[in-house]
Amino acid sequence: MSTGTSRNQAIVSDFSSDASALCAVPEQDERVSLLDDPEEWPAFGRPKNALPEGAEAREVLWESFIVLDGMHCATCALSIEDALRLVPGVLEVDVSAAARRARVVWNPAQVLPSQWMAAVGRAGYRCLPAMDALLREQRLRESRRALWRWLVAGFCMMQVMMYAWPAYNPAPGDLSAEMEQLLRWASWVISLPVVLFACGPFFSSALRDVRERRVSMDLPVALGMLITFVVSTLGTFDPQGPFGHEVYYDSLTMFVFFLLSGRLLELRLRNRTAGALEAVTNRLPDSVERRDAATGEFTRVTLRRLKVGDVVRVLPGEAFPADGVISLGQTQADEALLTGESKPVPKGAGDHVSAGSYNLRGMVEMRVEQLGNSTRFAQVVALMESAALQKPRLAQLADKVARPFLIAVIVAAGGAALWWWPTSPSHAAMIAVAVLIVTCPCALSLATPVSMLTAAGTLARHGVLVRNLQGLESLASVDTIVFDKTGTLTRDGLSVLTVQELPSEGACPSFTRAQLIGLASAMAASSLHPVSRAVQKYAGSEGDIMPAPRQLREISGAGLEAEFADPRFEERVLSARLGSAFHIGEKPGVDGVQEAFFALEADGQRLALLRFWLSEDVRSESAEVVAALVRDGMHVELLSGDNASVVERVAAQTGIAQARGDCTPQDKLSRLQALQAEGRSVVMVGDGLNDGPVLAGANVSFAFGRSVPLAQARSDFVVMGEQLELVWQAILLSRRTMRVVRQNLLWAAIYNALGVPLAIAGYMPAWLAGLGMAASSFLVVLNAARLARAPGLSEVAVPAASASYSPLGSDAAARALVTESV
């Protein structure tokens, strides 16, 4: 095994061996200082901007991800954010209490990972770099600790209840003073493991808050536990004193058990719902078999040692480690992560495979073409990580309310204790405990983020990536949807039916038809637009291979421009344009047929002109999706830059009443702004390639099509697969998500509105307050978990048509119409 591999495994082993100590005193921990090595930074982060060729890792900003331990609420997240923002060189911080992760953007010229991790440790929390091995180990360790605390609390609660039962309603002479005192002492001894072990997280969090002079949700809970134990202890040691009338070990152990039960169930549900991100990031294998160029033998190496051009062997059941091409063997691949389609895709020699997709059948060999952050898998993970750490408006409001609410809770508990103190000091203390526990706003802080993350995870599993978590909230209130045509209502692809040479101003004898097609293909190779891909595909069989252009630029909504060196005259420059008739300066051709033009010019004179006749298919489900949207009360429009007659045909076939063709990007944006001026909330569905301005201007936007560069898409949602109905289903799920959020917020408000007066009035004992608090948090998470099984996403809810539709009926009809016109 290589030195680099051994070192990486050593780091993982060191961190995993004692994660509880990590970041406790980070500046003195050599294990943390290992992360200051730039070679380790890609293991838990990525460059914020593209790393220039030849540049070192220290010369760019880095975006790193860490997993946090010891935090339980929104105020903990705010405390960590505050601590990190005070570190010089830390530029951006996002902490998610629901995901228990943090995103840190930092400048290596000013600060290193060990230093900003030290700030987390000084704030009283533990952190782990979000490496796969460390993350799995941390989650397993956390679950085991929570289970042990719950078991100890449950066992001790049963024993204490057994000793407390004789004192509930004894008949005269049943319970002597000596026996009652003996039972108190036994209960005190059995309660010690609960206080010293099971209550550990509450006390440690509260102590950290006191030391840092802040308030979190664990502080009132810990105060309630401590007051209960102290009052009961005083009653045990001094039966004749002011607190000797009654002890509350049964209440203490019961509400500790209820609180730990709620947290354990909440942890399990979080791991299953909000843990979708971890399931995605852990798809890549830790190592892979790579062929040695010298010996031809395969040896196992870590992914970090792979390079572009390497040949690797992928066994059945393994995930493909990078983007590449199959060079040997046949198999089937599960590409559900990238497309949302669960049906396996056959793969053979020459077929492309994507990192993160699974090899389901046979052993294959593949040649690596893209690695690391360049792969589509890395872009998917980046989007999911970014969305998981975002805070919707409602969550931000809950965070702001949490701290003053907690202070008010402590004040209210003190006031209740003073009011009841003359009646009975011990009773007054327990009323204060009930107020402290019943009003803890855990449910309020969990209501929004847990629901949003669950919905985002559900969408991701079905092929819709959420780039902006706030988009879920906005999507629930949209009333207008605007479609682009190409790649959305129609298939994400075009085909060239034929190519026509048109008269030009000057002859171009040095270039044949095949060479002109080759020049057009050389330009199209730099664009992801469906027209460009169709031209490039057609040129593969009809065109010659030509040199790459220079100074190429893409004009949104129009086409491409570039320059070529004229092989006939060294100093002569050829200007070329590829795109719409408007872009070339020509009149549109046959109505009902999409077309693209290629013009070659030199010295202000047009040398050659080609017309590419194209055809596309309307998606079979488009009409049903539009009908479903209209039934739901949505206003639907179609805006496209394509020929108006083609747009009208597609609109008629799909049932869209309002359609407009020959639109420039500015025309689309103007129409969008006009709709918004009417008071409408608009969602835009485009192909993500030339709809940047209108996607950015819409209230909510979808980029549709597998060809979208995820890192550059300017939309709130990205539809990865080929199913248009996912747009409609995302709208339905967003509406259901907001209903769940409102239900959670309403429940949290009603619970506190009823619980506080009952606790102050003395009608809610401490154990019942603990049960209510645990139940409220658990119900919020359980209600949010219903979004993981949202109807309409587990199966196709829109019936598919029996046959696909083409604006001309079929490619054969299209070719006939084109031939007749030519």
Side-chain angles (χ1 to χ4, degrees):
M1 184 174 292
S2 67
T3 304
T5 304
S6 301
R7 183 185 182 204
N8 187 50
Q9 290 183 343
I11 292 175
V12 171
S13 176
D14 285 344
F15 274 108
S16 301
S17 63
D18 189 12
S20 62
L22 182 60
C23 292
V25 191
E27 60 270 25
Q28 300 176 359
D29 197 330
E30 294 182 358
R31 293 168 298 175
V32 179
S33 64
L34 291 175
L35 298 177
D36 291 344
D37 186 347
E39 292 185 2
E40 304 301 332
W41 298 348
F44 61 102
R46 53 180 173 266
K48 178 66 173 176
N49 302 311
L51 192 64
E53 186 175 353
E56 296 183 359
R58 297 180 182 272
E59 299 177 11
V60 296
L61 301 181
W62 276 79
E63 181 181 44
S64 298
F65 296 88
I66 56 175
V67 181
L68 299 162
D69 188 23
M71 62 178 295
H72 306 287
C73 62
T75 52
C76 295
L78 294 176
S79 299
I80 295 174
E81 287 183 355
D82 293 341
L84 284 170
R85 288 195 176 103
L86 293 175
V87 178
V90 173
L91 307 179
E92 298 177 23
V93 181
D94 292 303
V95 180
S96 170
R100 298 187 183 182
R101 294 170 66 94
R103 165 185 167 270
V104 183
V105 177
W106 50 285
N107 186 351
Q110 297 178 269
V111 68
L112 293 174
S114 64
Q115 295 169 330
W116 53 261
M117 284 186 175
V120 178
R122 287 192 295 270
Y125 299 91
R126 296 178 295 276
C127 61
L128 287 168
M131 299 177 181
D132 293 347
L134 297 178
L135 186 56
R136 289 192 293 268
E137 184 68 22
Q138 171 68 9
R139 295 179 77 90
L140 180 61
R141 184 180 293 105
E142 183 181 14
S143 297
R144 286 175 176 172
R145 285 199 302 260
L147 181 60
W148 271 111
R149 290 192 177 97
W150 177 76
L151 290 173
V152 169
F155 176 78
C156 294
M157 177 195 68
M158 291 187 292
Q159 296 300 313
V160 170
M161 287 298 298
M162 183 176 64
Y163 294 144
W165 179 258
Y168 280 163
N169 292 298
D174 285 351
L175 187 64
S176 64
E178 292 80 6
M179 180 59 67
E180 182 179 5
Q181 185 64 15
L182 180 62
L183 292 176
R184 288 187 178 186
W185 277 103
S187 298
W188 181 80
V189 172
I190 295 175
S191 298
L192 285 177
V194 177
V195 175
L196 299 178
F197 175 68
C199 297
F202 302 102
F203 288 144
S204 60
S205 179
L207 183 61
R208 179 178 61 233
D209 294 336
V210 172
R211 187 170 57 247
E212 298 294 329
R213 299 180 181 178
R214 62 177 182 244
V215 178
S216 75
M217 295 180 193
D218 279 344
L219 182 58
V221 174
L223 284 175
M225 294 175 179
L226 184 62
I227 292 172
T228 305
F229 184 71
V230 169
V231 168
S232 300
T233 300
L234 292 175
T236 301
F237 282 84
D238 185 13
Q240 306 304 319
F243 299 100
H245 176 69
E246 188 176 359
V247 293
Y248 304 94
Y249 297 114
D250 51 345
S251 295
L252 171 66
T253 54
M254 285 180 68
F255 74 69
V256 170
F257 176 74
F258 291 146
L259 291 179
L260 291 177
S261 298
R263 286 206 171 177
L264 181 63
L265 294 173
E266 179 187 323
L267 178 63
R268 295 290 179 90
L269 287 174
R270 282 195 194 195
N271 291 346
R272 190 176 67 183
T273 55
L277 175 60
E278 180 188 346
V280 171
T281 56
N282 288 339
R283 287 176 71 100
L284 294 185
D286 297 325
S287 60
V288 69
E289 295 183 355
R290 182 183 64 180
R291 186 170 66 190
D292 188 280
T295 64
E297 297 181 356
F298 285 90
T299 56
R300 187 161 288 274
V301 298
T302 60
L303 295 192
R304 285 171 31 181
R305 295 182 60 83
L306 289 182
K307 298 179 180 179
V308 174
D310 284 347
V311 175
V312 298
R313 183 164 59 190
V314 183
L315 303 177
E318 288 185 340
F320 290 100
D323 292 350
V325 177
I326 300 291
S327 58
L328 180 65
Q330 292 185 342
T331 187
Q332 289 184 333
D334 175 7
E335 297 183 339
L337 173 68
L338 302 178
T339 66
E341 176 58 57
S342 58
K343 184 178 180 180
V345 181
K347 298 290 183 180
D351 290 335
H352 288 268
V353 291
S354 299
S357 58
Y358 283 111
N359 178 15
L360 299 180
R361 291 293 180 89
M363 181 182 66
V364 294
E365 295 180 12
M366 64 167 285
R367 178 173 288 101
V368 175
E369 291 188 339
Q370 297 286 345
L371 282 168
N373 295 330
S374 300
T375 64
R376 193 170 180 83
F377 170 81
Q379 297 176 9
V380 170
V381 171
L383 292 188
M384 293 188 68
E385 286 178 333
S386 175
L389 292 168
Q390 292 174 4
K391 293 183 179 179
R393 283 192 296 264
L394 288 175
Q396 294 174 8
L397 179 61
D399 290 350
K400 293 178 180 179
V401 170
R403 277 180 174 170
F405 182 80
L406 287 170
I407 296 175
V409 165
I410 296 175
V411 172
L418 291 176
W419 176 264
W420 285 96
W421 191 269
T423 304
S424 170
S426 61
H427 185 60
M430 294 311 296
I431 287 178
V433 169
V435 174
L436 288 171
I437 295 174
V438 77
T439 54
C440 187
C442 289
L444 179 66
S445 296
L446 289 172
T448 299
V450 171
S451 302
M452 293 288 194
L453 287 177
T454 304
T458 302
L459 288 172
R461 287 193 299 272
H462 292 84
V464 180
L465 294 184
V466 181
R467 297 188 74 251
N468 178 16
L469 205 59
Q470 180 61 45
L472 276 171
E473 184 178 340
S474 302
L475 186 62
S477 60
V478 296
D479 54 18
T480 302
I481 183 167
V482 176
F483 285 101
D484 181 38
K485 180 179 68 68
T486 305
T488 53
L489 295 176
T490 61
R491 296 290 176 187
D492 187 14
L494 298 168
S495 60
V496 176
L497 301 176
T498 187
V499 178
Q500 178 187 7
E501 293 186 69
L502 299 176
S504 57
E505 299 174 4
C508 190
S510 298
F511 288 99
T512 64
R513 170 189 168 95
Q515 289 174 331
L516 293 174
I517 295 175
L519 290 173
S521 174
M523 295 178 64
S526 300
S527 172
L528 292 173
H529 194 276
V531 172
S532 298
R533 295 202 309 274
V535 170
Q536 188 179 14
K537 182 178 179 181
Y538 179 82
S541 58
E542 299 289 335
D544 291 343
I545 298 177
M546 302 298 289
R550 60 192 187 189
Q551 297 184 2
L552 185 140
R553 66 190 187 101
E554 186 166 2
I555 302 174
S556 180
L560 303 170
E561 291 183 354
E563 293 181 355
F564 291 90
D566 194 330
R568 302 168 298 175
F569 307 101
E570 295 183 358
E571 298 181 355
R572 193 180 192 187
V573 176
L574 299 176
S575 299
R577 284 180 290 170
L578 175 65
S580 64
F582 170 80
H583 181 52
I584 304 300
E586 291 290 320
K587 293 182 179 180
V590 181
D591 287 345
V593 181
Q594 189 167 345
E595 57 191 359
F597 291 84
F598 172 74
L600 189 66
E601 301 174 350
D603 300 328
Q605 185 180 32
R606 180 168 293 175
L607 304 180
L609 182 62
L610 299 179
R611 173 188 277 144
F612 292 87
W613 300 98
L614 305 158
S615 177
E616 60 183 337
D617 292 334
V618 171
R619 295 181 185 274
S620 57
E621 72 273 19
S622 295
E624 287 81 4
V625 171
V626 171
L629 292 168
V630 173
R631 284 197 304 271
D632 287 342
M634 298 280 288
H635 173 73
V636 183
E637 291 193 14
L638 172 59
L639 301 177
S640 176
D642 292 336
N643 183 275
S645 59
V646 176
V647 173
E648 290 172 1
R649 286 175 178 266
V650 172
Q653 178 63 20
T654 56
I656 298 178
Q658 288 188 255
R660 184 184 302 177
D662 297 320
C663 293
T664 64
Q666 184 58 45
D667 293 335
K668 296 181 182 180
L669 183 59
S670 298
R671 177 55 184 165
L672 182 75
Q673 292 171 342
L675 290 170
Q676 292 171 331
E678 296 173 4
R680 295 184 178 273
S681 180
V682 184
V683 55
M684 175 68 192
V685 183
D687 60 10
L689 296 170
N690 59 358
D691 293 317
V694 69
L695 288 174
N699 298 88
V700 189
S701 55
F702 284 81
F704 200 92
R706 293 183 60 184
S707 62
V708 177
L710 300 183
Q712 301 173 10
R714 301 177 63 182
S715 59
D716 300 304
F717 300 85
V718 177
V719 181
M720 302 289 290
E722 298 293 335
Q723 304 176 54
L724 181 63
E725 61 266 22
L726 287 176
V727 175
W728 173 59
Q729 291 168 351
I731 295 174
L732 296 182
L733 182 60
S734 68
R735 293 174 178 174
R736 185 174 181 183
T737 300
M738 294 314 300
R739 285 198 298 269
V740 168
V741 169
R742 287 191 290 269
Q743 291 168 3
N744 287 344
L745 292 174
L746 180 62
W747 159 250
I750 292 176
Y751 161 74
N752 282 281
L754 294 177
V756 173
L758 290 175
I760 293 177
Y763 293 112
M764 180 174 286
W767 67 267
L768 185 59
L771 178 60
M773 175 190 166
S776 64
S777 298
F778 176 66
L779 287 176
V780 164
V781 178
L782 189 64
N783 192 31
R786 296 189 301 121
L787 296 171
R789 298 181 297 274
L793 284 171
S794 58
E795 58 185 14
V796 177
V798 179
S802 59
S804 61
Y805 164 79
S806 169
L808 297 174
S810 66
D811 279 359
R815 289 191 176 90
L817 181 56
V818 170
T819 303
E820 180 180 351
S821 66
V822 173

